Structure formats: C-alpha cells, structure tokens
Amino acid sequence: MVIFPAIDLKDGKAVRLTKGLMESAKVYSDEPWELAKRFEEMGAEWLHIVDLNGAFAGEPKNIDQIEKIRKHTNLKIQLGGGIRDEETVKRYLDLGINRLILGSIAAREPEKVIELAKKYPIAVGIDAKEGFVAIDGWGKSEGIKATELAKIYQNSNIECIIATDISKDGTLSGLNIDFILDIMRASGKDVIASGGVASEEDIKKVKENGIYGVIVGKAFYEGKIDLEKVLKNYI
C-alpha cells in the first residue's frame, strides 16, 4: 500500500479545503516545499499535489511552487489540477513530475485521456458528489455516475484512479470505503482512496481491503494522524 501525503496549492501556499470549497481554505504553510521535505524525512516515497487555482482556471497556476518542491525533494510526485492537454502533460514531465492526474478532461473527453495514457504516466481523478462526477474544481456536475466513468477506463493504460467522495473531503469524518471499492470493481484498476481520512483506522481499512493507496491531508495537518508512524507500519 502507498500512503500519499497531500499538498494542495492555492495562491502559492499549502492549504486544505472543506468539501472542495475555495472559500473554506485554511493555510498551513507559506513554503510548501518545506512541508514536502518533512514528508520525505518521515519516510514518504510519494507526494500528492493539487494545483487548486489551476483546477478552477483550467491551466497551471502554481508552477513556481511545484518547481520548488521538485527541486528540494527526491519524492515521486503525482500532480493534478488544471491539466487539460498534452502540452501541459509534457511541461510537467519535463519538470520531473512522475505522474499526472487528469480529472475534468477524463470525464469530458475519455478517448483523449486513453490515448494520452498510451504515451505518458497518467492517473484519472474521479471526484463524486452523491455518486455523480464533478469537474472544474468540483464546481460542476457532469451528470455521469462515477462507476460508469470508471468502467470506461477498464482496458486503458492508465496507471490508477484517484477516487474522492467530495462530501467527505476535508471533513475528517472517515473514508467512504464502499465508494472506493465500487470504483475498484467498476474499473479493474488500482485505486487511491481520497476524501475524509480521519484516523489510523481509515489507513487500516484501506490496507485490509487491498486498496492500492490512500491520500492523507487534513488528518495530518490537524494532528489526527501520526504520519511517521503510519508510514512505518502500513507501507
């Protein structure tokens, strides 16, 4: 199992949102690269980054901070937020990003993403409200069931799916394990659980259910999870 500490970038700072609402942003660091370095020192191998401004704008908006994180750590990085075309994918790969997460475009133009995944290390982000896919920084509903979207990627070359229950995200109320398992079954792909991780118990559930990975964000920032301990015990 892989544990992915998370850094969400807004206006160059590391923040966490509640249920994806930008106005709920709470700042945890003015120097996100320092956080990334701490995660590396704790034993993390991967880092999950979201460019929140980019997700809403549809293009990269925190590239300076992303470059700093890349420069100061040897972590493998998966990155999402505002990646809508091949040019942006290439740009981030040239910076040394290891995996790109495509969300809005994965819902709107799955054929395009399936083609990109033949050439590049691509993950698909499936973010859902009440079982339906949300896009553009979670501001719009796409009117397609999350499990139906997952099925489209069954036979593709995508590396994994990041599945987020938006109603849980940033709430510290516990993962929606049933949702994660539904996405796993529908896609047949490795799935990274996201949204609502509250305690070590959630990490344990992920491991017990054979889920590939889990994203830890607010639970770390609010002192609910001893990240160094779970990195030692669950990887």
Side-chain angles (χ1 to χ4, degrees):
M1 186 177 74
V2 182
I3 295 172
F4 295 80
I7 293 178
D8 288 359
L9 296 171
K10 179 178 183 283
D11 306 331
K13 303 178 193 301
V15 307
R16 298 306 293 174
L17 307 185
T18 301
K19 300 183 180 180
L21 300 171
M22 283 293 255
E23 61 270 23
S24 72
K26 181 176 178 181
V27 176
Y28 287 96
S29 175
D30 291 335
E31 295 292 348
W33 70 267
E34 292 178 352
L35 268 177
K37 195 74 188 161
R38 274 178 66 198
F39 293 145
E40 186 173 31
E41 287 162 359
M42 287 177 186
E45 295 179 9
W46 277 90
L47 177 65
H48 175 83
I49 301 176
V50 177
D51 176 355
L52 292 172
N53 301 103
F56 281 89
E59 61 184 12
K61 289 293 181 183
N62 281 282
I63 206 151
D64 290 349
Q65 289 301 327
I66 293 161
E67 284 180 325
K68 278 187 188 177
I69 291 168
R70 178 68 291 164
K71 181 181 171 186
H72 286 95
T73 77
N74 293 309
L75 290 164
K76 287 185 270 191
I77 296 172
Q78 65 178 22
L79 169 70
I83 304 168
R84 304 281 200 270
D85 53 41
E86 187 170 4
E87 185 184 338
T88 308
V89 168
K90 285 180 179 174
R91 184 180 181 189
Y92 277 133
L93 290 172
D94 288 345
L95 280 184
I97 303 304
N98 303 88
R99 180 190 289 154
L100 288 315
I101 305 161
L102 304 185
S104 297
I105 190 176
R108 282 198 184 110
E109 300 179 72
E111 305 85 1
K112 188 173 180 180
V113 172
I114 287 166
E115 285 304 308
L116 286 171
K118 291 176 181 175
K119 298 191 278 183
Y120 307 110
I122 300 294
V124 164
I126 297 182
D127 309 316
K129 284 180 180 173
E130 297 175 0
F132 286 87
V133 174
I135 58 169
D136 294 342
W138 300 351
K140 292 182 195 166
S141 173
E142 191 61 6
I144 179 174
K145 279 193 169 180
T147 48
E148 292 303 311
L149 180 59
K151 279 178 190 170
I152 291 170
Y153 289 97
Q154 262 182 340
N155 299 311
S156 72
N157 290 0
I158 66 165
E159 293 193 353
C160 59
I161 290 173
I162 294 104
T164 306
D165 179 344
I166 296 168
S167 69
K168 292 276 194 178
D169 195 67
T171 64
L172 299 173
S173 60
L175 275 171
N176 183 346
I177 287 284
D178 290 340
F179 169 68
I180 307 302
L181 294 174
D182 285 346
I183 297 296
M184 272 177 70
R185 283 188 286 266
S187 67
K189 296 292 184 184
D190 284 339
V191 173
I192 300 171
S194 168
V197 170
S199 67
E200 191 175 327
E201 191 61 30
D202 285 309
I203 310 289
K204 190 177 173 189
K205 278 185 202 166
V206 168
K207 180 123 181 161
E208 286 172 352
N209 282 280
I211 297 165
Y212 160 60
V214 60
I215 291 169
V216 178
K218 200 169 202 175
F220 162 73
Y221 292 106
E222 294 289 329
K224 307 291 185 187
I225 279 183
D226 181 337
L227 187 60
E228 194 162 10
K229 180 186 167 193
V230 297
L231 283 164
K232 277 189 184 133
N233 291 346
Y234 290 93
I235 287 182

PDB file of all heavy atoms in Angstrom, residues 42-77:
ATOM      1  N   MET A  42      10.046  11.925   6.920  1.00  0.00           N
ATOM      2  CA  MET A  42       9.217  10.975   7.680  1.00  0.00           C
ATOM      3  C   MET A  42       9.181   9.589   7.047  1.00  0.00           C
ATOM      4  O   MET A  42       8.697   8.635   7.665  1.00  0.00           O
ATOM      5  CB  MET A  42       7.778  11.501   7.762  1.00  0.00           C
ATOM      6  CG  MET A  42       7.592  12.665   8.692  1.00  0.00           C
ATOM      7  SD  MET A  42       5.852  13.206   8.611  1.00  0.00           S
ATOM      8  CE  MET A  42       5.920  14.685   9.621  1.00  0.00           C
ATOM      9  N   GLY A  43       9.641   9.491   5.795  1.00  0.00           N
ATOM     10  CA  GLY A  43       9.668   8.189   5.138  1.00  0.00           C
ATOM     11  C   GLY A  43       8.726   8.030   3.965  1.00  0.00           C
ATOM     12  O   GLY A  43       8.594   6.932   3.417  1.00  0.00           O
ATOM     13  N   ALA A  44       8.057   9.119   3.564  1.00  0.00           N
ATOM     14  CA  ALA A  44       7.172   9.030   2.395  1.00  0.00           C
ATOM     15  C   ALA A  44       7.992   8.801   1.131  1.00  0.00           C
ATOM     16  O   ALA A  44       9.121   9.273   1.006  1.00  0.00           O
ATOM     17  CB  ALA A  44       6.345  10.306   2.257  1.00  0.00           C
ATOM     18  N   GLU A  45       7.394   8.063   0.201  1.00  0.00           N
ATOM     19  CA  GLU A  45       8.022   7.850  -1.108  1.00  0.00           C
ATOM     20  C   GLU A  45       7.345   8.678  -2.190  1.00  0.00           C
ATOM     21  O   GLU A  45       7.958   9.056  -3.172  1.00  0.00           O
ATOM     22  CB  GLU A  45       7.964   6.365  -1.488  1.00  0.00           C
ATOM     23  CG  GLU A  45       8.792   5.484  -0.564  1.00  0.00           C
ATOM     24  CD  GLU A  45       8.697   4.015  -0.946  1.00  0.00           C
ATOM     25  OE1 GLU A  45       8.135   3.699  -2.022  1.00  0.00           O
ATOM     26  OE2 GLU A  45       9.178   3.192  -0.164  1.00  0.00           O
ATOM     27  N   TRP A  46       6.039   8.912  -1.988  1.00  0.00           N
ATOM     28  CA  TRP A  46       5.242   9.666  -2.950  1.00  0.00           C
ATOM     29  C   TRP A  46       4.654  10.912  -2.303  1.00  0.00           C
ATOM     30  O   TRP A  46       4.448  10.947  -1.090  1.00  0.00           O
ATOM     31  CB  TRP A  46       4.082   8.817  -3.465  1.00  0.00           C
ATOM     32  CG  TRP A  46       4.393   7.884  -4.585  1.00  0.00           C
ATOM     33  CD1 TRP A  46       4.819   6.587  -4.481  1.00  0.00           C
ATOM     34  CD2 TRP A  46       4.281   8.152  -5.993  1.00  0.00           C
ATOM     35  NE1 TRP A  46       4.967   6.038  -5.731  1.00  0.00           N
ATOM     36  CE2 TRP A  46       4.647   6.974  -6.676  1.00  0.00           C
ATOM     37  CE3 TRP A  46       3.903   9.275  -6.739  1.00  0.00           C
ATOM     38  CZ2 TRP A  46       4.650   6.880  -8.072  1.00  0.00           C
ATOM     39  CZ3 TRP A  46       3.909   9.186  -8.125  1.00  0.00           C
ATOM     40  CH2 TRP A  46       4.282   7.997  -8.783  1.00  0.00           C
ATOM     41  N   LEU A  47       4.363  11.896  -3.141  1.00  0.00           N
ATOM     42  CA  LEU A  47       3.665  13.105  -2.723  1.00  0.00           C
ATOM     43  C   LEU A  47       2.528  13.373  -3.705  1.00  0.00           C
ATOM     44  O   LEU A  47       2.703  13.238  -4.919  1.00  0.00           O
ATOM     45  CB  LEU A  47       4.630  14.295  -2.720  1.00  0.00           C
ATOM     46  CG  LEU A  47       4.060  15.676  -2.376  1.00  0.00           C
ATOM     47  CD1 LEU A  47       3.572  15.718  -0.928  1.00  0.00           C
ATOM     48  CD2 LEU A  47       5.110  16.765  -2.616  1.00  0.00           C
ATOM     49  N   HIS A  48       1.373  13.746  -3.164  1.00  0.00           N
ATOM     50  CA  HIS A  48       0.205  14.082  -3.979  1.00  0.00           C
ATOM     51  C   HIS A  48       0.024  15.597  -3.935  1.00  0.00           C
ATOM     52  O   HIS A  48      -0.139  16.176  -2.863  1.00  0.00           O
ATOM     53  CB  HIS A  48      -1.027  13.378  -3.389  1.00  0.00           C
ATOM     54  CG  HIS A  48      -2.322  13.722  -4.044  1.00  0.00           C
ATOM     55  ND1 HIS A  48      -2.769  13.113  -5.202  1.00  0.00           N
ATOM     56  CD2 HIS A  48      -3.297  14.615  -3.690  1.00  0.00           C
ATOM     57  CE1 HIS A  48      -3.956  13.604  -5.523  1.00  0.00           C
ATOM     58  NE2 HIS A  48      -4.301  14.521  -4.634  1.00  0.00           N
ATOM     59  N   ILE A  49       0.075  16.246  -5.100  1.00  0.00           N
ATOM     60  CA  ILE A  49      -0.077  17.705  -5.173  1.00  0.00           C
ATOM     61  C   ILE A  49      -1.287  18.037  -6.035  1.00  0.00           C
ATOM     62  O   ILE A  49      -1.495  17.447  -7.107  1.00  0.00           O
ATOM     63  CB  ILE A  49       1.161  18.393  -5.791  1.00  0.00           C
ATOM     64  CG1 ILE A  49       2.425  18.092  -4.981  1.00  0.00           C
ATOM     65  CG2 ILE A  49       0.947  19.907  -5.887  1.00  0.00           C
ATOM     66  CD1 ILE A  49       3.696  18.680  -5.608  1.00  0.00           C
ATOM     67  N   VAL A  50      -2.085  19.011  -5.565  1.00  0.00           N
ATOM     68  CA  VAL A  50      -3.174  19.557  -6.386  1.00  0.00           C
ATOM     69  C   VAL A  50      -2.983  21.062  -6.506  1.00  0.00           C
ATOM     70  O   VAL A  50      -2.828  21.765  -5.504  1.00  0.00           O
ATOM     71  CB  VAL A  50      -4.557  19.254  -5.774  1.00  0.00           C
ATOM     72  CG1 VAL A  50      -5.656  19.900  -6.617  1.00  0.00           C
ATOM     73  CG2 VAL A  50      -4.794  17.753  -5.673  1.00  0.00           C
ATOM     74  N   ASP A  51      -2.973  21.532  -7.741  1.00  0.00           N
ATOM     75  CA  ASP A  51      -2.962  22.968  -8.027  1.00  0.00           C
ATOM     76  C   ASP A  51      -4.426  23.418  -8.033  1.00  0.00           C
ATOM     77  O   ASP A  51      -5.129  23.287  -9.035  1.00  0.00           O
ATOM     78  CB  ASP A  51      -2.293  23.206  -9.378  1.00  0.00           C
ATOM     79  CG  ASP A  51      -2.307  24.664  -9.812  1.00  0.00           C
ATOM     80  OD1 ASP A  51      -2.926  25.506  -9.119  1.00  0.00           O
ATOM     81  OD2 ASP A  51      -1.706  24.966 -10.867  1.00  0.00           O
ATOM     82  N   LEU A  52      -4.903  23.919  -6.892  1.00  0.00           N
ATOM     83  CA  LEU A  52      -6.315  24.285  -6.768  1.00  0.00           C
ATOM     84  C   LEU A  52      -6.699  25.427  -7.699  1.00  0.00           C
ATOM     85  O   LEU A  52      -7.750  25.388  -8.350  1.00  0.00           O
ATOM     86  CB  LEU A  52      -6.637  24.669  -5.318  1.00  0.00           C
ATOM     87  CG  LEU A  52      -6.572  23.531  -4.295  1.00  0.00           C
ATOM     88  CD1 LEU A  52      -6.718  24.094  -2.886  1.00  0.00           C
ATOM     89  CD2 LEU A  52      -7.651  22.495  -4.546  1.00  0.00           C
ATOM     90  N   ASN A  53      -5.847  26.449  -7.776  1.00  0.00           N
ATOM     91  CA  ASN A  53      -6.130  27.552  -8.698  1.00  0.00           C
ATOM     92  C   ASN A  53      -6.211  27.028 -10.130  1.00  0.00           C
ATOM     93  O   ASN A  53      -7.068  27.433 -10.908  1.00  0.00           O
ATOM     94  CB  ASN A  53      -5.055  28.629  -8.620  1.00  0.00           C
ATOM     95  CG  ASN A  53      -4.893  29.226  -7.239  1.00  0.00           C
ATOM     96  OD1 ASN A  53      -3.946  28.889  -6.535  1.00  0.00           O
ATOM     97  ND2 ASN A  53      -5.810  30.086  -6.821  1.00  0.00           N
ATOM     98  N   GLY A  54      -5.307  26.119 -10.450  1.00  0.00           N
ATOM     99  CA  GLY A  54      -5.288  25.528 -11.782  1.00  0.00           C
ATOM    100  C   GLY A  54      -6.541  24.740 -12.084  1.00  0.00           C
ATOM    101  O   GLY A  54      -7.060  24.777 -13.203  1.00  0.00           O
ATOM    102  N   ALA A  55      -7.058  24.029 -11.075  1.00  0.00           N
ATOM    103  CA  ALA A  55      -8.268  23.228 -11.269  1.00  0.00           C
ATOM    104  C   ALA A  55      -9.450  24.100 -11.680  1.00  0.00           C
ATOM    105  O   ALA A  55     -10.251  23.717 -12.531  1.00  0.00           O
ATOM    106  CB  ALA A  55      -8.601  22.456  -9.989  1.00  0.00           C
ATOM    107  N   PHE A  56      -9.541  25.283 -11.083  1.00  0.00           N
ATOM    108  CA  PHE A  56     -10.640  26.193 -11.414  1.00  0.00           C
ATOM    109  C   PHE A  56     -10.384  26.931 -12.726  1.00  0.00           C
ATOM    110  O   PHE A  56     -11.303  27.183 -13.492  1.00  0.00           O
ATOM    111  CB  PHE A  56     -10.861  27.193 -10.280  1.00  0.00           C
ATOM    112  CG  PHE A  56     -11.622  26.618  -9.120  1.00  0.00           C
ATOM    113  CD1 PHE A  56     -10.959  25.980  -8.081  1.00  0.00           C
ATOM    114  CD2 PHE A  56     -13.007  26.684  -9.070  1.00  0.00           C
ATOM    115  CE1 PHE A  56     -11.664  25.426  -7.022  1.00  0.00           C
ATOM    116  CE2 PHE A  56     -13.719  26.137  -8.014  1.00  0.00           C
ATOM    117  CZ  PHE A  56     -13.048  25.502  -6.989  1.00  0.00           C
ATOM    118  N   ALA A  57      -9.103  27.253 -12.988  1.00  0.00           N
ATOM    119  CA  ALA A  57      -8.778  28.049 -14.178  1.00  0.00           C
ATOM    120  C   ALA A  57      -8.620  27.195 -15.439  1.00  0.00           C
ATOM    121  O   ALA A  57      -8.732  27.707 -16.551  1.00  0.00           O
ATOM    122  CB  ALA A  57      -7.487  28.835 -13.930  1.00  0.00           C
ATOM    123  N   GLY A  58      -8.328  25.902 -15.253  1.00  0.00           N
ATOM    124  CA  GLY A  58      -8.124  25.032 -16.402  1.00  0.00           C
ATOM    125  C   GLY A  58      -6.734  25.120 -16.992  1.00  0.00           C
ATOM    126  O   GLY A  58      -6.479  24.685 -18.115  1.00  0.00           O
ATOM    127  N   GLU A  59      -5.792  25.691 -16.235  1.00  0.00           N
ATOM    128  CA  GLU A  59      -4.393  25.783 -16.669  1.00  0.00           C
ATOM    129  C   GLU A  59      -3.509  25.929 -15.437  1.00  0.00           C
ATOM    130  O   GLU A  59      -3.981  26.342 -14.373  1.00  0.00           O
ATOM    131  CB  GLU A  59      -4.198  26.982 -17.602  1.00  0.00           C
ATOM    132  CG  GLU A  59      -4.529  28.309 -16.947  1.00  0.00           C
ATOM    133  CD  GLU A  59      -4.423  29.485 -17.911  1.00  0.00           C
ATOM    134  OE1 GLU A  59      -4.320  29.249 -19.128  1.00  0.00           O
ATOM    135  OE2 GLU A  59      -4.440  30.623 -17.441  1.00  0.00           O
ATOM    136  N   PRO A  60      -2.207  25.584 -15.541  1.00  0.00           N
ATOM    137  CA  PRO A  60      -1.320  25.657 -14.371  1.00  0.00           C
ATOM    138  C   PRO A  60      -1.260  27.058 -13.778  1.00  0.00           C
ATOM    139  O   PRO A  60      -1.175  28.051 -14.499  1.00  0.00           O
ATOM    140  CB  PRO A  60       0.050  25.252 -14.938  1.00  0.00           C
ATOM    141  CG  PRO A  60      -0.270  24.432 -16.142  1.00  0.00           C
ATOM    142  CD  PRO A  60      -1.508  25.042 -16.720  1.00  0.00           C
ATOM    143  N   LYS A  61      -1.323  27.122 -12.441  1.00  0.00           N
ATOM    144  CA  LYS A  61      -1.299  28.421 -11.770  1.00  0.00           C
ATOM    145  C   LYS A  61      -0.288  28.493 -10.613  1.00  0.00           C
ATOM    146  O   LYS A  61      -0.038  29.565 -10.096  1.00  0.00           O
ATOM    147  CB  LYS A  61      -2.697  28.754 -11.215  1.00  0.00           C
ATOM    148  CG  LYS A  61      -3.722  29.084 -12.277  1.00  0.00           C
ATOM    149  CD  LYS A  61      -3.405  30.379 -12.980  1.00  0.00           C
ATOM    150  CE  LYS A  61      -4.412  30.761 -14.031  1.00  0.00           C
ATOM    151  NZ  LYS A  61      -4.043  31.983 -14.753  1.00  0.00           N
ATOM    152  N   ASN A  62       0.249  27.354 -10.180  1.00  0.00           N
ATOM    153  CA  ASN A  62       1.192  27.360  -9.053  1.00  0.00           C
ATOM    154  C   ASN A  62       2.514  26.691  -9.429  1.00  0.00           C
ATOM    155  O   ASN A  62       3.149  26.023  -8.630  1.00  0.00           O
ATOM    156  CB  ASN A  62       0.569  26.635  -7.850  1.00  0.00           C
ATOM    157  CG  ASN A  62      -0.424  27.512  -7.102  1.00  0.00           C
ATOM    158  OD1 ASN A  62      -0.055  28.391  -6.334  1.00  0.00           O
ATOM    159  ND2 ASN A  62      -1.708  27.282  -7.355  1.00  0.00           N
ATOM    160  N   ILE A  63       2.915  26.924 -10.676  1.00  0.00           N
ATOM    161  CA  ILE A  63       4.063  26.195 -11.208  1.00  0.00           C
ATOM    162  C   ILE A  63       5.362  26.528 -10.474  1.00  0.00           C
ATOM    163  O   ILE A  63       6.232  25.669 -10.310  1.00  0.00           O
ATOM    164  CB  ILE A  63       4.182  26.402 -12.736  1.00  0.00           C
ATOM    165  CG1 ILE A  63       4.915  25.218 -13.363  1.00  0.00           C
ATOM    166  CG2 ILE A  63       4.775  27.718 -13.091  1.00  0.00           C
ATOM    167  CD1 ILE A  63       4.528  24.932 -14.789  1.00  0.00           C
ATOM    168  N   ASP A  64       5.503  27.763  -9.985  1.00  0.00           N
ATOM    169  CA  ASP A  64       6.728  28.132  -9.253  1.00  0.00           C
ATOM    170  C   ASP A  64       6.887  27.277  -7.998  1.00  0.00           C
ATOM    171  O   ASP A  64       7.985  26.799  -7.693  1.00  0.00           O
ATOM    172  CB  ASP A  64       6.706  29.617  -8.860  1.00  0.00           C
ATOM    173  CG  ASP A  64       6.862  30.537 -10.057  1.00  0.00           C
ATOM    174  OD1 ASP A  64       7.188  30.015 -11.149  1.00  0.00           O
ATOM    175  OD2 ASP A  64       6.653  31.747  -9.914  1.00  0.00           O
ATOM    176  N   GLN A  65       5.786  27.098  -7.263  1.00  0.00           N
ATOM    177  CA  GLN A  65       5.849  26.288  -6.050  1.00  0.00           C
ATOM    178  C   GLN A  65       6.100  24.815  -6.384  1.00  0.00           C
ATOM    179  O   GLN A  65       6.825  24.120  -5.662  1.00  0.00           O
ATOM    180  CB  GLN A  65       4.545  26.427  -5.252  1.00  0.00           C
ATOM    181  CG  GLN A  65       4.362  27.782  -4.593  1.00  0.00           C
ATOM    182  CD  GLN A  65       5.495  28.122  -3.629  1.00  0.00           C
ATOM    183  OE1 GLN A  65       6.058  27.265  -2.982  1.00  0.00           O
ATOM    184  NE2 GLN A  65       5.827  29.409  -3.570  1.00  0.00           N
ATOM    185  N   ILE A  66       5.505  24.352  -7.457  1.00  0.00           N
ATOM    186  CA  ILE A  66       5.706  22.965  -7.877  1.00  0.00           C
ATOM    187  C   ILE A  66       7.174  22.736  -8.237  1.00  0.00           C
ATOM    188  O   ILE A  66       7.772  21.717  -7.866  1.00  0.00           O
ATOM    189  CB  ILE A  66       4.759  22.615  -9.045  1.00  0.00           C
ATOM    190  CG1 ILE A  66       3.305  22.622  -8.535  1.00  0.00           C
ATOM    191  CG2 ILE A  66       5.106  21.263  -9.665  1.00  0.00           C
ATOM    192  CD1 ILE A  66       2.256  22.747  -9.622  1.00  0.00           C
ATOM    193  N   GLU A  67       7.762  23.696  -8.929  1.00  0.00           N
ATOM    194  CA  GLU A  67       9.196  23.608  -9.266  1.00  0.00           C
ATOM    195  C   GLU A  67      10.060  23.559  -8.011  1.00  0.00           C
ATOM    196  O   GLU A  67      11.028  22.793  -7.937  1.00  0.00           O
ATOM    197  CB  GLU A  67       9.609  24.799 -10.131  1.00  0.00           C
ATOM    198  CG  GLU A  67       9.161  24.686 -11.571  1.00  0.00           C
ATOM    199  CD  GLU A  67       9.600  25.884 -12.399  1.00  0.00           C
ATOM    200  OE1 GLU A  67       9.625  27.016 -11.864  1.00  0.00           O
ATOM    201  OE2 GLU A  67       9.905  25.697 -13.582  1.00  0.00           O
ATOM    202  N   LYS A  68       9.713  24.373  -7.015  1.00  0.00           N
ATOM    203  CA  LYS A  68      10.482  24.378  -5.753  1.00  0.00           C
ATOM    204  C   LYS A  68      10.404  23.035  -5.048  1.00  0.00           C
ATOM    205  O   LYS A  68      11.399  22.528  -4.530  1.00  0.00           O
ATOM    206  CB  LYS A  68       9.948  25.474  -4.812  1.00  0.00           C
ATOM    207  CG  LYS A  68      10.466  26.855  -5.084  1.00  0.00           C
ATOM    208  CD  LYS A  68       9.982  27.792  -3.983  1.00  0.00           C
ATOM    209  CE  LYS A  68      10.303  29.235  -4.294  1.00  0.00           C
ATOM    210  NZ  LYS A  68       9.766  30.151  -3.273  1.00  0.00           N
ATOM    211  N   ILE A  69       9.191  22.461  -5.013  1.00  0.00           N
ATOM    212  CA  ILE A  69       9.024  21.153  -4.366  1.00  0.00           C
ATOM    213  C   ILE A  69       9.869  20.107  -5.092  1.00  0.00           C
ATOM    214  O   ILE A  69      10.558  19.300  -4.462  1.00  0.00           O
ATOM    215  CB  ILE A  69       7.534  20.743  -4.338  1.00  0.00           C
ATOM    216  CG1 ILE A  69       6.755  21.648  -3.376  1.00  0.00           C
ATOM    217  CG2 ILE A  69       7.380  19.277  -3.928  1.00  0.00           C
ATOM    218  CD1 ILE A  69       5.236  21.536  -3.485  1.00  0.00           C
ATOM    219  N   ARG A  70       9.821  20.146  -6.421  1.00  0.00           N
ATOM    220  CA  ARG A  70      10.602  19.187  -7.210  1.00  0.00           C
ATOM    221  C   ARG A  70      12.109  19.345  -6.950  1.00  0.00           C
ATOM    222  O   ARG A  70      12.846  18.356  -6.806  1.00  0.00           O
ATOM    223  CB  ARG A  70      10.293  19.369  -8.699  1.00  0.00           C
ATOM    224  CG  ARG A  70      11.050  18.497  -9.665  1.00  0.00           C
ATOM    225  CD  ARG A  70      10.695  17.019  -9.573  1.00  0.00           C
ATOM    226  NE  ARG A  70      11.158  16.411  -8.323  1.00  0.00           N
ATOM    227  CZ  ARG A  70      10.736  15.242  -7.857  1.00  0.00           C
ATOM    228  NH1 ARG A  70       9.849  14.541  -8.520  1.00  0.00           N
ATOM    229  NH2 ARG A  70      11.187  14.773  -6.719  1.00  0.00           N
ATOM    230  N   LYS A  71      12.536  20.578  -6.856  1.00  0.00           N
ATOM    231  CA  LYS A  71      13.968  20.870  -6.669  1.00  0.00           C
ATOM    232  C   LYS A  71      14.474  20.428  -5.295  1.00  0.00           C
ATOM    233  O   LYS A  71      15.605  19.966  -5.158  1.00  0.00           O
ATOM    234  CB  LYS A  71      14.181  22.381  -6.835  1.00  0.00           C
ATOM    235  CG  LYS A  71      15.626  22.829  -6.690  1.00  0.00           C
ATOM    236  CD  LYS A  71      15.724  24.329  -6.843  1.00  0.00           C
ATOM    237  CE  LYS A  71      17.122  24.820  -6.478  1.00  0.00           C
ATOM    238  NZ  LYS A  71      17.202  26.287  -6.494  1.00  0.00           N
ATOM    239  N   HIS A  72      13.625  20.549  -4.258  1.00  0.00           N
ATOM    240  CA  HIS A  72      14.090  20.328  -2.886  1.00  0.00           C
ATOM    241  C   HIS A  72      13.860  18.920  -2.361  1.00  0.00           C
ATOM    242  O   HIS A  72      14.264  18.608  -1.235  1.00  0.00           O
ATOM    243  CB  HIS A  72      13.417  21.331  -1.935  1.00  0.00           C
ATOM    244  CG  HIS A  72      13.962  22.713  -2.049  1.00  0.00           C
ATOM    245  ND1 HIS A  72      13.380  23.671  -2.855  1.00  0.00           N
ATOM    246  CD2 HIS A  72      15.045  23.306  -1.478  1.00  0.00           C
ATOM    247  CE1 HIS A  72      14.080  24.792  -2.759  1.00  0.00           C
ATOM    248  NE2 HIS A  72      15.088  24.599  -1.938  1.00  0.00           N
ATOM    249  N   THR A  73      13.193  18.031  -3.123  1.00  0.00           N
ATOM    250  CA  THR A  73      12.952  16.671  -2.632  1.00  0.00           C
ATOM    251  C   THR A  73      13.222  15.642  -3.726  1.00  0.00           C
ATOM    252  O   THR A  73      13.252  15.960  -4.912  1.00  0.00           O
ATOM    253  CB  THR A  73      11.495  16.454  -2.162  1.00  0.00           C
ATOM    254  OG1 THR A  73      10.656  16.300  -3.302  1.00  0.00           O
ATOM    255  CG2 THR A  73      10.996  17.593  -1.292  1.00  0.00           C
ATOM    256  N   ASN A  74      13.400  14.406  -3.271  1.00  0.00           N
ATOM    257  CA  ASN A  74      13.526  13.279  -4.195  1.00  0.00           C
ATOM    258  C   ASN A  74      12.253  12.440  -4.227  1.00  0.00           C
ATOM    259  O   ASN A  74      12.248  11.328  -4.748  1.00  0.00           O
ATOM    260  CB  ASN A  74      14.709  12.393  -3.783  1.00  0.00           C
ATOM    261  CG  ASN A  74      16.035  13.115  -3.955  1.00  0.00           C
ATOM    262  OD1 ASN A  74      16.317  13.663  -5.017  1.00  0.00           O
ATOM    263  ND2 ASN A  74      16.841  13.134  -2.911  1.00  0.00           N
ATOM    264  N   LEU A  75      11.188  12.965  -3.645  1.00  0.00           N
ATOM    265  CA  LEU A  75       9.907  12.254  -3.643  1.00  0.00           C
ATOM    266  C   LEU A  75       9.401  12.033  -5.066  1.00  0.00           C
ATOM    267  O   LEU A  75       9.623  12.874  -5.944  1.00  0.00           O
ATOM    268  CB  LEU A  75       8.852  13.072  -2.886  1.00  0.00           C
ATOM    269  CG  LEU A  75       9.017  13.200  -1.374  1.00  0.00           C
ATOM    270  CD1 LEU A  75       8.145  14.342  -0.856  1.00  0.00           C
ATOM    271  CD2 LEU A  75       8.664  11.900  -0.674  1.00  0.00           C
ATOM    272  N   LYS A  76       8.721  10.922  -5.284  1.00  0.00           N
ATOM    273  CA  LYS A  76       7.958  10.779  -6.520  1.00  0.00           C
ATOM    274  C   LYS A  76       6.699  11.629  -6.352  1.00  0.00           C
ATOM    275  O   LYS A  76       6.102  11.639  -5.267  1.00  0.00           O
ATOM    276  CB  LYS A  76       7.597   9.316  -6.751  1.00  0.00           C
ATOM    277  CG  LYS A  76       8.797   8.478  -7.180  1.00  0.00           C
ATOM    278  CD  LYS A  76       8.406   7.065  -7.514  1.00  0.00           C
ATOM    279  CE  LYS A  76       8.488   6.196  -6.276  1.00  0.00           C
ATOM    280  NZ  LYS A  76       8.357   4.747  -6.594  1.00  0.00           N
ATOM    281  N   ILE A  77       6.324  12.327  -7.401  1.00  0.00           N
ATOM    282  CA  ILE A  77       5.211  13.284  -7.300  1.00  0.00           C
ATOM    283  C   ILE A  77       4.121  12.937  -8.306  1.00  0.00           C
ATOM    284  O   ILE A  77       4.389  12.754  -9.494  1.00  0.00           O
ATOM    285  CB  ILE A  77       5.703  14.721  -7.558  1.00  0.00           C
ATOM    286  CG1 ILE A  77       6.699  15.160  -6.469  1.00  0.00           C
ATOM    287  CG2 ILE A  77       4.515  15.695  -7.616  1.00  0.00           C
ATOM    288  CD1 ILE A  77       7.368  16.498  -6.753  1.00  0.00           C
TER     289      ILE A  77
END
